[in-house]
Amino acid sequence: MNVKEAYSYSVSFLEANGVDEADFKALTVVCHVAGIKNSEYHAHKDDFIITKRLADCLWKLKTGEPLQYVIGKWDFYESEFYVGEGVLIPRPETEELVDLAVKYLKTVTNPVVIDLCSGSGCIGVSIAKAVTDSKVYCIEKSKEAFRYLEKNAKDCNNVVLINDDIFNDIDIENADLIISNPPYIKTSDLPNLQDEVKKEPQMAFDGGNDGLDFYRIINNNWTSKLKPNGVLMLEIGEDQGKDIFDVLTEFYNVEVKKDMYGNDRMVVAKR
Ligand SMILES: C[S@@+](CC[C@H](N)C(=O)[O-])C[C@H]1O[C@@H](n2cnc3c(N)ncnc32)[C@H](O)[C@@H]1O
């Protein structure tokens, strides 16, 4: 079977099994198995493809496994990140937070950054790669997620990885920027997540009764780890833009910014 036939077969298979976004998922797994980028499909449509590997991928998609876990990696900001069971898949909204951080950090010499709740490392590792004179501490509690963090940070000598709970008192140097995309879904809303999202670790989502537990601990325990005039940047849920002002009592100039979809998504605050 060649790449073009494999693509056509995959679309039909996924559609027949009720998988959403069948076109895009078919193209992505076929190109993954063929070892090419999606954009190279046309140039390689007559290449031979290993159907056994493709069949494995299609079967996993049929059972509801996220596309990103099936292919084992995902593009984020300017790099590819390894992902799989046990780690949150990086989201495009988070790229906007990284972009804000990189712009700010380019105005600081040898900045120190703390990325709380790092997951795959998509925030901290992207910053470390984009701001080469920075030193970035990435803190992640989950052992499974930490394994991906280690893989994704492998070639970065300006990243320090810490496998710990941000509710603990962690001895660390003071930072110019603390950044975090913490769990922020209310515990009672977790059962309402989409089935595919439920395949991702619940620990990555659970923000406690009102979804704000992690912002409280950042405000209460982490402000002292910021240098004077240091900056805090957070990702928030789209319905948390008002509540966050009551939580961030240790900060002034708290500003909520919208994402590309027009939803409240990021907070920038100064110590
Ligand atoms: C929303 S995910 C964000 C992951 C990554 N920063 C990103 O943007 O894709 C939250 C992360 O916090 C981690 N986490 C949950 N509780 C934690 C805790 N108490 N201390 C440190 N990390 C924690 C989860 O394992 C998960 O990786």
Side-chain angles (χ1 to χ4, degrees):
M1 193 184 273
N2 66 29
V3 165
K4 187 175 173 205
E5 291 159 346
Y7 168 62
S8 161
Y9 170 80
S10 301
V11 174
S12 309
F13 175 86
L14 295 175
E15 277 177 354
N17 284 287
V19 176
D20 66 351
E21 299 181 277
D23 248 343
F24 176 65
K25 286 180 178 171
L27 179 68
T28 306
V29 288
V30 166
C31 291
H32 167 67
V33 172
I36 56 173
K37 294 192 165 81
N38 287 16
S39 56
E40 294 169 336
Y41 168 80
H42 286 289
H44 289 268
K45 58 185 188 322
D46 298 323
D47 292 3
F48 176 76
I49 195 165
I50 303 170
T51 45
K52 165 83 179 76
R53 282 190 61 207
L54 179 63
D56 284 348
C57 292
L58 293 175
W59 187 258
K60 288 178 181 166
L61 290 173
K62 182 188 166 192
T63 62
E65 197 166 319
L67 174 67
Q68 295 87 339
Y69 285 1
V70 173
I71 65 170
K73 57 195 177 180
W74 201 240
D75 284 341
F76 179 89
Y77 203 64
E78 289 164 358
S79 313
E80 215 168 48
F81 283 81
Y82 293 107
V83 292
E85 213 173 308
V87 71
L88 189 90
I89 298 161
R91 306 294 204 263
E93 305 88 279
T94 310
E95 289 179 308
E96 297 185 63
L97 185 72
V98 171
D99 210 39
L100 268 186
V102 168
K103 284 195 179 110
Y104 163 66
L105 291 167
K106 288 205 165 152
T107 68
V108 183
T109 310
N110 298 122
V112 175
V113 180
I114 301 175
D115 171 25
L116 300 172
C117 301
S118 304
S120 63
C122 62
I123 296 178
V125 171
S126 296
I127 289 174
K129 286 183 178 172
V131 186
T132 48
D133 69 338
S134 65
K135 179 175 183 186
V136 183
Y137 291 90
C138 291
I139 306 177
E140 168 59 47
K141 180 179 175 186
S142 149
K143 291 235 174 325
E144 293 75 32
F146 197 77
R147 277 197 280 275
Y148 287 95
L149 179 56
E150 286 179 314
K151 254 178 115 175
N152 289 322
K154 197 166 154 272
D155 299 323
C156 292
N157 53 14
N158 55 339
V159 174
V160 179
L161 305 180
I162 301 173
N163 190 196
D164 208 336
D165 184 334
I166 71 154
F167 285 72
N168 291 339
D169 184 18
I170 300 171
D171 187 21
I172 200 168
E173 70 180 295
N174 285 5
D176 297 279
L177 172 72
I178 292 185
I179 189 163
S180 184
N181 173 21
Y184 57 67
I185 309 283
K186 290 179 188 159
T187 307
S188 58
D189 286 343
L190 294 177
N192 307 328
L193 292 173
Q194 289 171 303
D195 287 343
E196 203 170 292
V197 177
K198 281 191 189 141
K199 303 262 177 179
E200 295 179 81
Q202 298 296 287
M203 183 179 161
F205 299 117
D206 191 352
N209 284 345
D210 63 359
L212 298 166
D213 281 3
F214 284 80
Y215 303 117
R216 277 191 206 95
I217 204 73
I218 290 171
N219 180 71
N220 298 344
N221 290 10
W222 287 90
T223 312
S224 61
K225 316 272 188 202
L226 266 178
K227 293 179 187 171
N229 298 319
V231 174
L232 175 71
M233 292 189 185
L234 300 171
E235 181 168 321
I236 56 166
E238 60 190 64
D239 56 348
Q240 293 171 328
K242 291 201 173 62
D243 298 332
I244 200 73
F245 287 95
D246 298 330
V247 174
L248 297 182
T249 53
E250 298 294 321
F251 292 85
Y252 74 97
N253 266 359
V254 179
E255 205 187 331
V256 172
K257 292 180 181 285
K258 294 194 186 296
D259 63 19
M260 62 190 128
Y261 309 112
N263 297 319
D264 287 346
R265 185 66 63 195
M266 289 158 284
V267 174
V268 180
K270 295 217 171 87
R271 184 179 169 191

